[in-house]
Amino acid sequence: DQQVKQNSPSLSVQEGRISILNCDYTNSMFDYFLWYKKYPAEGPTFLISISSIKDKNEDGRFTVFLNKSAKHLSLHIVPSQPGDSAVYFCAASAQGGSEKLVFGKGTKLTVNP
Amino acid sequence: GAGVSQSPSNKVTEKGKDVELRCDPISGHTALYWYRQSLGQGLEFLIYFQGNSAPDKSGLPSDRFSAERTGGSVSTLTIQRTQQEDSAVYLCASSFVGGATGGEQFFGPGTRLTVL
């Protein structure tokens, strides 16, 4: 049973527009959520995180929103840049991130110039 | 500073052979994790070491898989009698648990294992 779901395997947006990547989770014990970006032949790179005590965290062009009642989070990238083209993984953890991460299957983002 | 390093970067082996994959975590990180990513899948947790505590082995898919972490630093993941379904990218990550960073895990580049 998949505890973290990214239902869109791919997303294509124009440079300068907003990219919105979505993630749903089922385990109510999760209290820490992260987004990772992955380029081919490289390991995932940490992007941004959010604790369950917050509903929004912003870092530059990246903002993560958390809706606990809906068990849903989203990553907004604005403005999108061609260098943002990568696979984005949503991950969740219990106990404030000190436990193992449970990953979604990823969404491949393509930003077209 | 240096990130997480893994070796080898690629490993091709024959079915039935044993393989060892190595991970050097970031210096000072107390926690070390192994994950694998099969084709078209997300990252799948395998095993987690934290300090001197007993490792969390709950993700190991079979008893052919084992891992150790020597001296609280370097870790080796061993797969015995490899099978074709073991083919995947094996990723190691480390983190500093208990710090202000929230435990973000930093990943190495991975070892791509191909079992023929």
Side-chain angles (χ1 to χ4, degrees):
Chain A
D1 181 35
Q2 249 190 302
Q3 297 185 65
V4 177
K5 298 179 183 179
Q6 294 178 257
N7 291 320
S8 297
S10 63
L11 175 68
S12 184
V13 300
Q14 285 299 120
E15 181 178 6
R17 306 295 290 268
I18 185 170
S19 296
I20 300 177
L21 297 96
N22 293 301
C23 178
D24 297 290
Y25 63 96
T26 58
N27 190 338
S28 57
M29 297 299 293
F30 290 147
D31 60 6
Y32 195 68
F33 304 89
L34 307 90
W35 285 93
Y36 281 82
K37 179 169 73 172
K38 186 179 185 302
Y39 294 117
E42 295 184 10
T45 302
F46 169 74
L47 198 55
I48 192 168
S49 63
I50 188 167
S51 164
S52 61
I53 63 174
K54 296 185 176 181
D55 55 18
K56 176 183 175 181
N57 188 25
E58 190 172 353
D59 184 2
R61 296 185 297 115
F62 303 92
T63 303
V64 57
F65 295 92
L66 175 63
N67 182 334
K68 289 187 294 293
S69 61
K71 292 190 174 66
H72 177 84
L73 64 155
S74 61
L75 173 68
H76 292 208
I77 306 172
V78 56
S80 302
Q81 299 173 355
D84 296 330
S85 297
V87 177
Y88 288 78
F89 289 99
C90 171
S93 175
Q95 298 188 25
S98 63
E99 289 289 312
K100 64 190 180 188
L101 294 176
V102 179
F103 283 85
K105 291 189 177 183
T107 296
K108 183 176 182 180
L109 173 66
T110 302
V111 180
N112 301 302
Chain B
V4 178
S5 61
Q6 293 186 244
S7 60
S9 55
N10 280 285
K11 176 71 177 179
V12 180
T13 191
E14 293 180 348
K15 178 182 173 182
K17 295 285 180 70
D18 297 351
V19 295
E20 283 189 354
L21 312 179
R22 178 188 167 104
C23 172
D24 284 89
I26 293 172
S27 177
H29 278 189
T30 57
L32 186 147
Y33 311 77
W34 283 97
Y35 297 85
R36 73 175 176 181
Q37 184 180 17
S38 302
L39 191 63
Q41 301 297 312
L43 280 74
E44 173 191 6
F45 166 76
L46 297 177
I47 187 169
Y48 159 47
F49 298 89
Q50 165 56 10
N52 295 321
S53 303
D56 177 353
K57 303 180 181 180
S58 60
L60 295 179
S62 77
D63 59 7
R64 296 185 296 104
F65 288 73
S66 63
E68 63 177 21
R69 187 180 186 193
T70 54
S73 182
V74 172
S75 177
T76 302
L77 177 69
T78 301
I79 309 173
Q80 296 178 310
R81 306 181 301 282
T82 53
Q83 304 294 314
Q84 288 182 334
E85 61 262 29
D86 299 335
S87 296
V89 176
Y90 288 81
L91 290 151
C92 175
S94 70
S95 70
F96 180 68
V97 175
T101 58
E104 287 86 0
Q105 296 178 23
F106 296 85
F107 283 81
T111 294
R112 180 175 296 278
L113 175 66
T114 304
V115 182
L116 302 176

